[in-house]
Amino acid sequence: MEKINVLFTEEEIEKRVCEISNELYEKYHDEEVVFVCTLKGAVFFACDLLKRYKGDGRIEFLRVSSYEGESSTGKINLKLPLDAEKINGKHVVIVEDIVDTGYTLEYITKYVNGMHPKSMITCALLDKKSRRKVEINPTYTGFEIEDLFVIGYGLDYDQKYRNLPYIGVVVKE
Ligand code: IMP
């Protein structure tokens, strides 16, 4: 197996996820909230957020794709749509793994807005701000990172490494 430099440990991630989950509860209290998990990358983050959430949290899944290997193909494809009935009139929190150019989050926010939620915010575990091509910023961010290709805790490199409990960078020989 390749050498991996750890960027965020399991404990650091858990602490930050708890903080965000508590901030979300402070915002919504006992109102119903639909967490929209973007597959596959955000699956661990969304489940952990929800597991810690003290209020009425629901979960829905959406899948889009634009990446192959380490680079974006630029074209976003909707692979698994949302059920509009589950979004219409609800408080929605879009849960993303990482915001890079911002094209994916822009696409998803427009798509979800078209379903007329009561409110909508975005929550990304990681943010590579310096790479942004469109003006979009997540409402909540776990960690801001440099321009590095990261893997683990749901994030993949060609479907590999998602199962790592930490976030890291593959060291290239
Ligand atoms: P964007 O559309 O360029 O913002 O890309 C967002 C999507 O690209 C994320 O949801 C990830 O699936 C993928 N992505 C971007 N950077 C990374 C990375 O460093 N590691 C793994 N996936 C990434």
Side-chain angles (χ1 to χ4, degrees):
M1 188 140 172
E2 296 86 345
K3 186 177 178 318
I4 295 166
N5 279 347
V6 177
L7 214 56
F8 301 106
T9 63
E10 207 174 340
E11 292 73 26
E12 286 170 325
I13 297 168
E14 192 185 334
K15 184 170 174 277
R16 189 68 190 113
V17 170
C18 280
E19 285 168 4
I20 297 175
S21 196
N22 288 338
E23 282 179 48
L24 290 172
Y25 180 64
E26 286 305 308
K27 182 175 169 64
Y28 298 108
H29 292 281
D30 292 323
E31 288 194 81
E32 182 186 320
V33 181
V34 181
F35 289 74
V36 171
C37 169
T38 60
L39 294 171
K40 301 176 190 168
V43 71
F44 293 170
F45 179 40
C47 291
D48 284 349
L49 263 184
L50 200 69
K51 219 161 61 181
R52 305 282 171 207
Y53 192 68
K54 296 187 190 87
D56 182 0
R58 317 285 172 102
I59 193 161
E60 294 294 327
F61 298 92
L62 163 75
R63 188 165 164 231
V64 296
S65 77
S66 68
Y67 258 66
E68 274 169 27
E70 282 194 21
S71 53
S72 170
T73 59
K75 194 176 172 299
I76 315 261
N77 295 303
L78 180 64
K79 302 274 187 180
L80 176 72
L82 283 166
D83 180 351
E85 269 179 38
K86 303 273 167 52
I87 302 298
N88 188 273
K90 312 279 183 180
H91 290 298
V92 171
V93 178
I94 294 170
V95 186
E96 251 290 43
D97 51 358
I98 184 163
V99 187
D100 184 12
T101 61
Y103 289 129
T104 306
L105 193 61
E106 184 185 53
Y107 176 94
I108 293 171
T109 52
K110 280 188 185 154
Y111 174 69
V112 171
N113 252 330
M115 294 176 173
H116 308 289
K118 189 172 181 181
S119 72
M120 187 192 71
I121 62 164
T122 58
C123 189
L125 179 64
L126 300 167
D127 187 357
K128 287 194 226 176
K129 255 203 170 82
S130 64
R131 295 255 312 154
R132 207 70 97 251
K133 294 264 171 53
V134 282
E135 233 178 87
I136 192 159
N137 288 310
T139 320
Y140 292 85
T141 301
F143 306 98
E144 206 175 299
I145 61 166
E146 291 169 38
D147 181 10
L148 295 166
F149 193 85
V150 291
I151 44 95
Y153 192 65
L155 290 150
D156 73 310
Y157 174 70
D158 272 346
Q159 304 303 320
K160 211 175 155 187
Y161 305 115
R162 288 193 201 275
N163 55 314
L164 298 177
Y166 53 84
I167 293 167
V169 179
V170 178
V171 181
K172 289 190 177 145
E173 300 300 321

